[in-house]
Amino acid sequence: MKILVPVKRVVDYNVKVQVKSDGSGVDIANVKMSMNPFDEIAVEEAVRLKEGGKATEIVAVSAGVTQCQETLRTAMAIGADRGILVETTEELQPLAVAKLLKALADKEQPQLIILGKQAIDDDSNQTGQMLAALLGWGQATFASKVVIEDGKATVTREVDGGLETVALPLPAIVTTDLRLNEPRYVTLPNIMKAKKKPLETVKPADLGVDVTPRLKTLKVAEPPKRSAGIMVKDVAELVSRLKNEAKVI
Ligand code: AMP
């Protein structure tokens, strides 16, 4: 079984981004970039399926600028066998990424595609769902457990107030939630090995996909600043302020 794992290069989760002064977006010049954390979980899950004898090949895919090669090398250091970079400087929105992944899925014929549930930069949570629709495959989103057996995937999903278990025939789409696994540390020998793994580069046009953005960002703004807290001298004052000033009780 071949597994395709899309991995996105995003601003590192430790970086506090600044909104550009013209409100057109966030400033990502000279900030640390890393693999989207949910995608690390996706690669880890694919590698565990391969180690468990359920998968034979893992192909990591990243769409974006040339530097996405680094993200693909990280995926290969975790254990992906090869990488495909869909190179473009165009701003990529979820529908465009889903179309690119659909074209690659048609070519590569994977039995399973494991994506992150969302990219932590624009928090869209759309690509996996759109890809499932374009391919006409079943999807299990927000997975916290994946079992592959007898040509089907049994996936436990994190839903409001509990867990839901669904079974879906392969090929299928799975998107990862935080509790699916804890990705391994990337070791130096594996980073060195990853440098020798095959990395193919294609352009959106090679896949016959038009990635022109469909949505326009009107404005990006910082959340309002929280005002400072106040000290109250006793419970009576607290209750009085909650009642009369905050008007919450
Ligand atoms: P989103 O719908 O943007 O929140 O992204 C959900 C998932 O789609 C991510 O966790 C990735 O697995 C995948 N994805 C989104 N954008 C890209 C991209 N440019 N390259 C590769 N994978 C992507």
Side-chain angles (χ1 to χ4, degrees), residues 9 62-69 85-90 92:
R9 178 177 183 265
S62 193
V65 294
T66 318
Q67 291 88 327
C68 294
Q69 284 180 354
L85 167 65
V86 185
E87 194 176 15
T88 174
T89 50
E90 186 80 70
L92 289 175

Side-chain angles (χ1 to χ4, degrees), residues 6-8 36 39 61-63 92 94 97 115-119 122-127:
V7 291
K8 186 175 187 189
N36 182 41
D39 303 352
V61 182
S62 193
L92 289 175
V97 177
L115 304 91
K117 76 166 178 182
Q118 74 191 53
D122 44 26
D123 279 346
S124 294
N125 178 2
Q126 294 174 356
T127 310

Side-chain angles (χ1 to χ4, degrees), residues 1-7 38-49 55 58-61 101 110-117 128 131 137 140 143 146 148 172-177 180-181:
M1 177 176 80
K2 190 193 279 189
I3 306 179
L4 203 68
V5 188
V7 291
F38 291 107
D39 303 352
E40 271 186 60
I41 296 173
V43 181
E44 174 68 34
E45 195 62 20
V47 174
R48 289 186 191 189
L49 286 169
I58 303 164
V59 184
V61 182
L101 295 174
Q111 287 296 99
L112 188 62
I113 305 181
I114 313 180
L115 304 91
K117 76 166 178 182
L131 178 60
W137 296 2
V146 177
I148 305 291
I173 304 284
V174 169
T175 74
T176 62
D177 214 325
L180 180 58
N181 63 49

